Structures are given as C-alpha cells and as structure tokens.
Amino acid sequence: MTAVGGGPVHELARGGRFATAEAVVTGDPQAKPGHARRVITVRARAEAVRRVKVRVPVLLIAGDPRWLRLVPSQRVRLRGRFVPPRGGGLLSAVVIVRGPPAVLGPPSAPQRAAEHVRARLRAAVDGLPPDRRGVLPGMVVGDTSRLDPALAEDFRTAGLTHLLVVSGANLAIVVGAVLGLCRLAGLGRRRAPPVAVLAVLAFVVVARPEPSVLRAAVMGMIGLLALLTGRERQGLPALAAAVLLLVLIDPELARSYGFALSVLATAGLLVLAPPWRERLGRRLPGPIADALAVTAAAEVAVAPVLVMLSGEVGVVSVFANLLAAPAVAPATLLGALGAVTALVSLPLARLVVWPAGLAVGWIIRVARTAAALPYATLPWTGGTFGAATLLAAAAVAVLILRSRRLRLIAAAAMTGVLIAVIALRVMAPGWPPPGWQMVACDVGQGDALVLAAGPGQAVVVDTGPEPGPVDRCLRRLHVTDVPLLILTHPHADHINGTSGVRHHRTVHEVLTTPLTSGREARYTSGLQSLRAEPGQKWTVGDLTLTILAPLSAAPALSPSDDGTTINNASVVLVARKPGFSALLAGDIETEAQRALEATVPHVQVLKVPHHGSPSQDPRFLAAAHASISLISVGEDNDYGHPSPATVTLLRRLHTQVHRTDKEGDIAIVRTATGIAAVPRH
C-alpha cells in the first residue's frame, strides 16, 4: 500500500502531469464503448518513469486499436497523462495514453504458448455459428474476444455469466478428466496427482491468472495435496487457506468483487449444498436433488454481492442453471480436447469441437429464453443498503419456512399478490402502449430512437453505446424488420449498439451523415450504406422522413476533429405520420442550431440535441414549438447532462420535459386530443 500511495508515479498522478513510462502488461486488453470512440483498458505494472525504476500497478486507458494486440507480460513504452484512480482499487495511477504502444519486447515464453493455444482454439471453432464460436472459447479458456455483447447481456440476465469465465467448475471438470485418464493409464494414487498438478498449472497459464482462476487453482492444489498425503479433505479449511494465500500473494484480490463472488459461491457449495441435498433427496431423485442443491446454494451465497453491484435480483437464474448444467461438462471437456488437438491437427480439432458446439448451442438457447422471460430480474436497491435488505428478507424467509402457520400466511399472501399481478397484466395495456408512434429507448448515456413504420417494422435512429439495451428495447416493441437505420454521427454513444439492432433482425439500409469519417463502417458491414442529403425524403409505410442537415458542402470529418465538430455534423431530420410529427436533432450544438433556425418546422415532439447539454440556442428550441421534449440521457452520467439551464429553458417554452434516466423507455402515442408521452417505468 505504501508503494502504491507514494513514489514518482503517485506524484505524477496528483499533479495530473504528462510523462513517458515503461510498463509490463498484466492482463488482456479490453475494449469498451466510450463517449466519442472505443476505449481500450489495459492492466499493467509500471516499471520505469522518467528514468526512475518503480514497480506499481497502473491502469492504461487508450484509443489506438494497436493496444488490443498486446499480450500479458509484454513490455511497452508509452506517453500519457497520469491521473489519480477513482474508487478504492490498489492502483497507483490511471494513465490516459496518447497514440499506440512502443513494444519493447515479446511476451514471455509461457504467455506466448498460452496465446498460441488460444489462437488455435479460435481457429478450430471458426466453422461454428457466430454465437457458438464466441461462447465456447470463453467457457474453455476465458477468451471472450469474439462474444457478442448482446448475447453476453442475455447470459447476465439469465444468471449464466459464470459460464463465460474460467472458474472452479471448469477446473473441477478438467482435473476430474485428467485423474480419470491417469486411472485408465494405470497410474496409482501417488502418481496421478502430480500429473493433475501439471494440468492445473498449464490450465491457469492458458486461461490467464484472473481472480476466479487463481482461487480455483489454489483450491485444486490444496485438494490434490490432501489426496497425495492421504489425509481427509476438509472443504472450509481448504477454502480459508486458498483465500489467505491468494490475498498474501496479490492484495488487490481483497478489493476484487469477482474474487469475492468466487469465494462466496464456493462457500455456499461447502456449507449450504450438503444439507439442502439431503433434504431434497427425500423427495426428488438423487441427480435432480444434487443439481438443484448445488445451483441454489451458489446463487443464494452470491446474491447479496450481486444485488449490491447491480441493483437487481435474478428470478430465473436457478432454473436457467439447472437447464444449462447437463451441457456444461460436454462443452468444456470437448472444447479443452479441441484446444489440445488444434496444436497438432486443425482439421481434427474442428471435428472435435463440433459436438461441443451443439452443447454450447443448448446453453445459448437457455440463456436467450430465460433472458426474454418477463420479470427475469427484479429491481432492488443497490449498494450496501440493498445487500442488507436482501439479507433481512432472507432471514424473514427462513423464519417463515420454519413455522407452519407463517408458511400458510405467506402462501396466502403470495397467492393474493400473484392474482393481483395477473389481473393487472390482463387489464393494463402493457408495453408497448397501443398505437405508439415513437419510442426513446433507455440505453444509458446515448441515443436510440424507434419510429413505428408498420407491424413489426420500425425505422431506428441511432443505437446507443452498447448492443444489449437497444436490442432489448426493440424486442419489447416486437420489431423484427428495420427498413432504414439512421446513424446521425460517428460517436460511440450513437453507433456502438448497432449489432444489437442487427441481432435476429433484418436491416435493409443504413443512412449516415455525408461528413462521416467512416468510423461506423465496422458495425455496418454487409449493409447498403447511403449518405443523407438536405432535402431528401424517405417514405416507409405511412412514415415520412425529411432530411434537414448537415450541409454536404461542409468538409468531411477526420479522426482529429473534436467532439463539437462531429456533433455539428449530425443528421437532423423531421419524422411525420398522420397525427404525429417529431424533430430529431442528433447532437448538434449551438453553431449548427443557429444555421437551422430558419428551416425548423413546427412539430409536436422535439428530441433535445446532445442529451440536453448546455450548448443550446434558445431560438432553435423555440422554433420547433414542440409540446413534448425528449432527453435521452444516462443516469448519474459524468457530463452533467441534462444541464439544469437547458431544462429550465425548455420549461419556459411550455414544453413537457421527459427524460430516459428518470422514466426509462418513453413512448409517444396518439390520443383523441393530440399526443401523449407514456413512460415504461
């Protein structure tokens, strides 16, 4: 802690200064959506700064895609601005990196070997369908580089995320298979464990030493030691020893939620699963009792931490895990065998992973079906208070289960609630509201607007920063066909969710700003792409779209343009249907708004530019004469959107202000007297 909280790196961060440093990569680079472009984060260890030797953990934040090619253990030189880290992690600094890395050397021999195995496995699964080739390497070695973010979100909703990371379950399957092979080969009780130890070490190197992998590996080593010495294995002491050893080796694990979840899940299996298995075994067949007890014990043990992090309680996760469980072992074993075989023969490895792909296909189907169920997750208070209230609710549930009278009262109350919910679902119009004309999807800090164009059809304007939220919004609206997708400008919070729109939907054409730098092309491959021109009109069903901006005479964007320049290049359009009209203004700021003041028509709905930022021209907003203003914005965002001054201005213009961060998805519907906004929350 003293090294992290002092020294030259910490001093640079306190002053927010620029410096050149050398660092060793310690984790796989991760790409995440950012406000203007994709953000790449890299865990690293600073080794030298300003010619002074250091050894402290740092987090690198970069934008150049060449950072994604790095492998753990590579040494690089970089230049960037050092800033203090947020939160309580054991980091000496966060470094905002400029440009690509200067690679000073190759990865270590073990990491080169690990990357070779992972690359061969990726090549072996190339013949599988896209979703399966993204999930199988994640299940086998924790490689999620090809995983569709929308599918990852389905796994999270279904409570199956643990299958996409290497954990104790994976290691148990691999070790069990190795010990079985050793027994078939005639190795005795003393000679088999050392072979299993080597398998564990190789597995950890290939899968990367993430917290869950390290915990599983140390637990496995302790168990193998007990087997080798002939002593009776004790689960809780082994877990305690594993936790103590790992925290001593890497103190950062003491603050890792992933490590805490892994330890809690194991503790649940050791403490809760055996008595639950015994009780369930009296009424259910043995295999079903075992699977239900193990799944429920792990879910219950990790629930408080999950609630604290997500503010949600999973309802279908236990059942989703039960349905997926039979396919996990075949997928993991055949995938691991395929990885080994790929080192020798790629064609043979492709044959091996084909049945593994079938098992993965079943798991994917379970995840998608579970995630699509209503009330798959229930909102709950997040943070420490949420965890405390969940524990209190669990204590009340235990008291109820121990008393016959309380069980009867609880059953009667739950029956009443169930009847009330069913009655409300039957009588209430539900979502989407009948006759919806437009929906502002709640996608966080970004834009995604949907314009109804016919049964199952809609024009989509922007896609938000991630695929999952816009995909779920379109699913709720039952949209399966997108005649036209409009990407107003190439900022990540407007284009990075494009794969979510394309997920199991037909997208016919893409319309972009004529000034684009082409950044959206990586999301629209295979689609016919067109450039918006002022005065253009598009008709889809009874929906008419008219393009107002930008002017095609303006210079094209370049990667060096600042955010304001890109925002002002946004496509601005007017949407009209019988009894409905809307002005969708992208992210244009004051300069572009002033240029459009004279051409703004009167509309009923205004999509407020740039998430309600302070860069607004009052005359532009007033020219629309909109009765409803929509602000698409993320809750507690870092940009201060929407600006209080903008909200005050809109209210002075006598327009109703609706915000996605407060109301969720917002639908515009026709009424007998005009239009109305219907929030989903």
Side-chain angles (χ1 to χ4, degrees):
M1 190 60 134
T2 302
V4 171
V9 174
H10 179 69
E11 291 301 318
L12 286 171
R14 285 182 60 188
R17 294 195 291 270
F18 283 87
T20 299
E22 292 184 10
V24 173
V25 177
T26 57
D28 286 308
Q30 302 289 329
K32 299 178 181 179
H35 178 59
R37 64 183 68 187
R38 188 167 54 165
V39 174
I40 300 167
T41 59
V42 186
R43 287 175 294 151
R45 184 179 63 249
E47 297 278 342
V49 59
R50 291 184 171 177
R51 300 182 180 179
V52 177
K53 289 186 177 181
V54 294
R55 190 178 175 87
V56 291
V58 293
L59 179 67
L60 311 179
I61 299 179
D64 194 294
R66 281 169 282 190
W67 283 92
L68 289 171
R69 303 173 191 167
L70 297 178
V71 174
S73 76
Q74 277 189 286
R75 190 180 182 97
V76 297
R77 181 182 294 113
L78 58 99
R79 179 168 178 79
R81 185 163 67 93
F82 288 67
V83 297
R86 293 183 180 181
L90 289 181
L91 289 174
S92 187
V94 173
V95 187
I96 313 300
V97 180
R98 287 184 169 181
V103 179
L104 301 180
S108 65
Q111 291 292 358
R112 284 201 304 273
E115 187 58 31
H116 179 62
V117 173
R118 292 160 77 98
R120 296 294 285 182
L121 177 58
R122 289 193 294 269
V125 302
D126 275 343
L128 298 177
D131 287 346
R132 300 180 190 182
R133 80 173 73 126
V135 171
L136 185 56
M139 293 186 64
V140 177
V141 295
D143 182 0
T144 57
S145 57
R146 292 180 171 182
L147 184 63
D148 182 356
L151 181 57
E153 182 64 20
D154 285 342
F155 269 75
R156 187 198 67 79
T157 302
L160 298 174
T161 302
H162 61 93
L163 298 180
L164 301 177
V165 296
V166 175
S167 62
N170 305 66
L171 193 62
I173 292 170
V174 172
V175 170
V178 170
L179 290 176
L181 291 174
C182 289
R183 185 173 297 176
L184 289 176
L187 298 179
R189 183 176 178 180
R190 299 264 177 183
R191 287 182 290 173
V195 177
V197 168
L198 293 176
V200 169
L201 294 176
F203 187 82
V204 169
V205 171
V206 173
R208 310 285 198 224
E210 297 293 335
S212 61
V213 181
L214 290 173
R215 191 274 308 161
V218 175
M219 279 291 295
M221 298 287 271
I222 292 173
L224 289 170
L225 181 62
L227 180 63
L228 183 62
T229 58
R231 296 179 181 178
E232 185 178 356
R233 187 173 177 178
Q234 298 291 328
L236 282 177
L239 177 62
V243 172
L244 180 61
L245 179 61
L246 288 171
V247 171
L248 287 174
I249 293 173
D250 184 3
E252 175 70 12
L253 294 179
R255 298 169 182 251
S256 168
Y257 284 112
F259 182 65
L261 289 169
S262 183
V263 173
L264 285 173
T266 304
L269 298 180
L270 294 172
V271 176
L272 301 177
W276 290 3
R277 183 190 300 117
E278 183 180 349
R279 291 192 177 188
L280 291 170
R282 299 170 189 166
R283 298 177 177 84
L284 298 172
I288 296 178
D290 288 346
L292 186 57
V294 167
T295 302
E299 292 291 329
V300 168
V302 301
V305 175
L306 288 178
V307 165
M308 185 166 59
L309 293 175
S310 66
E312 294 178 341
V313 175
V315 176
V316 301
S317 57
V318 171
F319 303 102
N321 276 277
L322 284 174
L323 290 172
V328 173
T332 303
L333 285 176
L334 290 171
L337 181 60
V340 174
T341 307
L343 299 175
V344 180
S345 171
L346 202 55
L348 183 59
R350 287 175 176 148
L351 291 176
V352 172
V353 301
W354 182 78
L358 296 179
V360 168
W362 168 253
I363 295 171
I364 292 172
R365 181 177 292 274
V366 170
R368 284 184 171 146
T369 303
L373 292 174
Y375 307 115
T377 59
L378 296 178
W380 196 277
T381 303
T384 305
F385 181 73
T389 54
L390 184 66
L391 289 172
V396 171
V398 171
L399 292 175
I400 291 173
L401 292 173
R402 289 179 176 273
S403 169
R404 176 179 171 81
R405 179 176 296 179
L406 290 177
R407 285 201 303 269
L408 291 174
I409 295 173
M414 291 179 66
T415 302
V417 170
L418 182 61
I419 293 172
V421 169
I422 293 174
L424 286 173
R425 292 282 293 182
V426 171
M427 293 185 295
W431 187 267
W436 65 274
Q437 305 299 303
M438 169 181 166
V439 170
C441 296
D442 179 14
V443 293
Q445 183 63 18
D447 273 8
L449 306 166
V450 186
L451 297 162
Q457 281 192 327
V459 171
V460 178
V461 182
D462 289 329
T463 63
E466 296 178 359
V470 68
D471 180 30
R472 290 193 298 275
C473 181
L474 292 174
R475 266 192 262 171
R476 290 191 291 266
L477 298 172
H478 311 296
V479 173
T480 57
D481 187 75
V482 180
L484 182 64
L485 170 62
I486 301 174
L487 301 176
T488 59
H489 63 291
H491 267 164
D493 58 333
H494 290 252
I495 66 173
N496 275 21
T498 300
S499 63
V501 176
R502 301 181 68 177
H503 191 231
H504 293 306
R505 291 179 195 89
T506 302
V507 178
H508 297 271
E509 293 178 319
V510 179
L511 188 67
T512 64
T513 172
L515 308 180
T516 182
S517 60
R519 189 180 296 158
E520 69 280 346
R522 64 176 179 267
Y523 301 108
T524 60
S525 60
L527 299 178
Q528 182 180 359
S529 185
L530 306 168
R531 295 288 185 258
E533 300 289 344
Q536 277 181 337
K537 285 194 175 183
W538 299 77
T539 301
V540 184
D542 61 351
L543 174 67
T544 301
L545 305 173
T546 304
I547 307 299
L548 299 184
L551 299 175
S552 55
L557 298 173
S558 71
S560 61
D561 283 326
D562 64 12
T564 297
T565 303
I566 297 173
N567 287 340
N568 283 329
S570 295
V571 175
V572 179
L573 65 146
V574 176
R576 294 189 184 277
K577 293 180 70 174
F580 165 79
S581 60
L583 173 62
L584 311 183
D587 273 4
I588 59 171
E589 299 188 25
T590 308
E591 299 83 359
Q593 291 175 23
R594 287 172 181 161
L596 288 174
E597 283 173 15
T599 61
V600 172
H602 292 191
V603 293
Q604 296 165 303
V605 180
L606 168 67
K607 200 291 294 186
V608 179
H610 199 198
H611 321 292
S613 79
S615 300
Q616 308 290 337
D617 177 45
R619 286 173 293 183
F620 173 85
L621 301 181
H625 288 82
S627 59
I628 293 176
S629 294
L630 298 177
I631 301 178
S632 184
V633 65
E635 186 176 9
D636 298 326
N637 63 84
D638 294 334
Y639 306 100
H641 296 164
S643 165
T646 298
V647 174
T648 301
L649 172 61
L650 290 168
R651 287 176 177 156
R652 281 207 306 265
L653 295 172
H654 306 293
T655 177
Q656 299 177 28
V657 179
H658 295 272
R659 301 165 45 169
T660 57
D661 61 333
K662 302 292 186 183
E663 303 171 62
D665 297 346
I666 303 170
I668 304 298
V669 299
R670 282 197 300 244
T671 67
T673 57
I675 61 168
V678 179
R680 181 168 173 264
H681 282 182

